Amino acid sequence: MKRLMNEMPNKSDKEYMQIAIDVAKIAEENGDVPIGAVIVYQDQIIGKAYNQREQLKDPTAHAEIIALTQAAAFLESWRLNDCTIYVTLEPCPMCAGALVLARMKRLVYGCDDPKTGAVKSLYNIVHDQRLNHRLEVTSGVLAAECSELLQEFFQKRRTENTKDNDLK
């Protein structure tokens, strides 16, 4: 049976999303946007990553991309057909495209991204009929917690930038 968007999440969805939130906090500690991703295969975590764009000076170092690389290495295959990815924020176009190309079975994400979201907010890459693969999607899992983490991060950034500007 195909899952519907916003279908009530099961307990394991919340547990894995909490792990993604915990991982996202590492990104914040490293000065990056707190986004975390966890990939699960047969109830085992095979990929776990956080945003590392600032740390690696790499525009592609999104949590999803790093986790995909880890999962593919674990399975020794680029095809992640039976995997689920848990991400704290709705994936951007690059990451949504990578999920489709990896043949990911399912995407579970926390909060929507009205600025760059490519699953629901701006685009719907993961359900685009023109592509050769589509994903099952569950959104809104621990959305308040995911959103709060991001809001607090950007509020701190704004405060720091204001202080820096006041010193000039």
Side-chain angles (χ1 to χ4, degrees):
M1 183 172 102
K2 190 171 183 177
R3 292 182 85 85
L4 300 175
M5 207 163 207
N6 294 321
E7 182 180 337
M8 190 63 165
N10 62 37
K11 186 176 180 186
S12 65
D13 283 351
K14 290 180 181 178
E15 290 171 350
Y16 288 123
M17 186 61 72
Q18 185 58 58
I19 295 168
I21 290 169
D22 294 342
V23 171
K25 292 175 183 178
I26 299 169
E28 183 173 19
E29 291 168 9
N30 289 304
D32 216 322
V33 179
I35 299 170
V38 173
I39 298 178
V40 176
Y41 173 73
Q42 297 179 348
D43 294 322
Q44 180 182 359
I45 295 174
I46 62 169
K48 182 166 62 170
Y50 52 89
N51 267 17
Q52 296 180 44
R53 293 180 309 164
E54 297 297 334
Q55 194 174 359
L56 299 176
K57 309 294 186 238
D58 180 352
T60 68
H62 288 205
E64 299 95 322
I65 301 299
I66 296 167
L68 282 168
T69 300
Q70 293 171 356
F74 179 87
L75 293 176
E76 297 180 343
S77 175
W78 61 268
R79 291 178 184 89
L80 304 177
N81 309 63
D82 296 320
C83 296
T84 298
I85 187 167
Y86 296 84
V87 186
T88 55
L89 181 67
E90 177 183 3
C92 71
M94 174 182 69
C95 294
L99 296 176
V100 170
L101 293 173
R103 312 295 195 268
M104 184 71 58
K105 179 179 182 179
R106 185 168 172 246
L107 162 66
V108 178
Y109 71 88
C111 56
D112 294 337
D113 184 353
K115 292 185 178 183
T116 63
V119 175
K120 178 173 92 173
S121 297
L122 294 180
Y123 307 102
N124 191 342
I125 292 173
V126 300
H127 288 137
D128 192 317
Q129 296 294 318
R130 296 168 294 182
L131 300 174
N132 65 344
H133 180 76
R134 282 159 290 288
L135 285 71
E136 299 171 21
V137 176
T138 301
S139 63
V141 176
L142 301 181
E145 293 90 334
C146 294
S147 181
E148 183 178 326
L149 185 63
L150 288 162
Q151 289 172 353
E152 288 175 2
F153 173 80
F154 286 113
Q155 181 59 47
K156 286 178 195 172
R157 276 275 173 94
R158 284 189 291 276
T159 301
E160 290 168 4
N161 288 341
T162 301
K163 287 179 184 175
D164 288 346
N165 289 334
D166 289 346
L167 295 174
K168 291 180 183 177

